[in-house]
Amino acid sequence: IYHAVELGRSPDSMAPDALAVEQTLRPTLSVGQGRGLTSKERRAVELHAMAVASEFLRAEGFSITDKSANNSYDLLAKRLDEELFVEVKGTTGGAGAVLMTANEIRLHTEKYPHNALLIVCEIELSDRRSDAPAASGGRLIVHRPWHIAAAIMEPVAYRVIPALKTE
């Protein structure tokens, strides 16, 4: 276990903000997206997952455009007249549950069957104590097309807008 933690492969890894919500709402659920990782380590995992996903799609004959900066999906994959909207998730843990935004859910509902979810799990981290941790390895799981309506979705947070005081 200690070696796995050093590699960033804690079986219950998830983002600190999501961890706080999960511990409050349902402490037994393990999501696996960044728990115990620094922001630089999470970024290394994310970039590695994007690279693995892009390599897989290119091998399938797709041209790839990174759309993650300004869209509710990560990659746009095109092959002849086929267009695929791809969500990529990277984790140092297993391939269990992943966190998604409401916009990601909406987009994948609308784009089915022209969508995919690619999860790169069991990513290893090295040089964790350096200023530039390195991510490598991982196992790719492909859901294509991805029928998001068949997934089990559990809310882990809500945006709450308090009512104006009436007093």
Side-chain angles (χ1 to χ4, degrees), residues 11-52:
D12 56 352
S13 297
M14 75 186 288
D17 57 340
L19 172 61
V21 172
E22 283 296 325
Q23 286 176 336
T24 302
L25 298 177
R26 189 167 162 206
T28 59
L29 180 62
S30 174
V31 192
Q33 283 183 265
R35 181 184 198 168
L37 302 180
T38 67
S39 61
K40 288 180 183 179
E41 290 168 337
R42 282 192 305 276
R43 182 72 176 148
V45 167
E46 177 184 331
L47 291 174
H48 180 69
M50 292 281 284
V52 169

Side-chain angles (χ1 to χ4, degrees), residues 139-152:
R139 182 168 54 96
L140 177 65
I141 298 170
V142 178
H143 300 276
R144 181 179 92 201
W146 183 40
H147 197 286
I148 195 167
I152 297 170

Side-chain angles (χ1 to χ4, degrees), residues 71-73 85 87 99-115 146-149 153 159:
N71 292 279
S72 295
Y73 60 100
F85 297 82
E87 182 64 31
L99 296 176
M100 296 189 74
T101 67
N103 285 340
E104 290 169 339
I105 299 289
R106 192 174 305 112
L107 178 120
H108 285 281
T109 300
E110 293 169 1
K111 297 300 182 181
Y112 177 82
H114 306 285
N115 69 331
W146 183 40
H147 197 286
I148 195 167
M153 290 187 256
R159 188 178 103 172

Side-chain angles (χ1 to χ4, degrees), residues 55-120:
E55 181 180 326
F56 167 78
L57 291 165
R58 283 189 187 96
E60 295 268 312
F62 287 95
S63 62
I64 306 301
T65 306
D66 184 337
K67 298 289 194 168
S68 60
N70 300 311
N71 292 279
S72 295
Y73 60 100
D74 293 312
L75 302 172
L76 179 61
K78 292 184 178 184
R79 179 174 61 187
L80 301 173
D81 62 344
E82 183 180 4
E83 199 170 58
L84 196 61
F85 297 82
V86 182
E87 182 64 31
V88 179
K89 298 293 183 182
T91 176
T92 57
V98 294
L99 296 176
M100 296 189 74
T101 67
N103 285 340
E104 290 169 339
I105 299 289
R106 192 174 305 112
L107 178 120
H108 285 281
T109 300
E110 293 169 1
K111 297 300 182 181
Y112 177 82
H114 306 285
N115 69 331
L117 170 64
L118 276 61
I119 302 172
V120 184

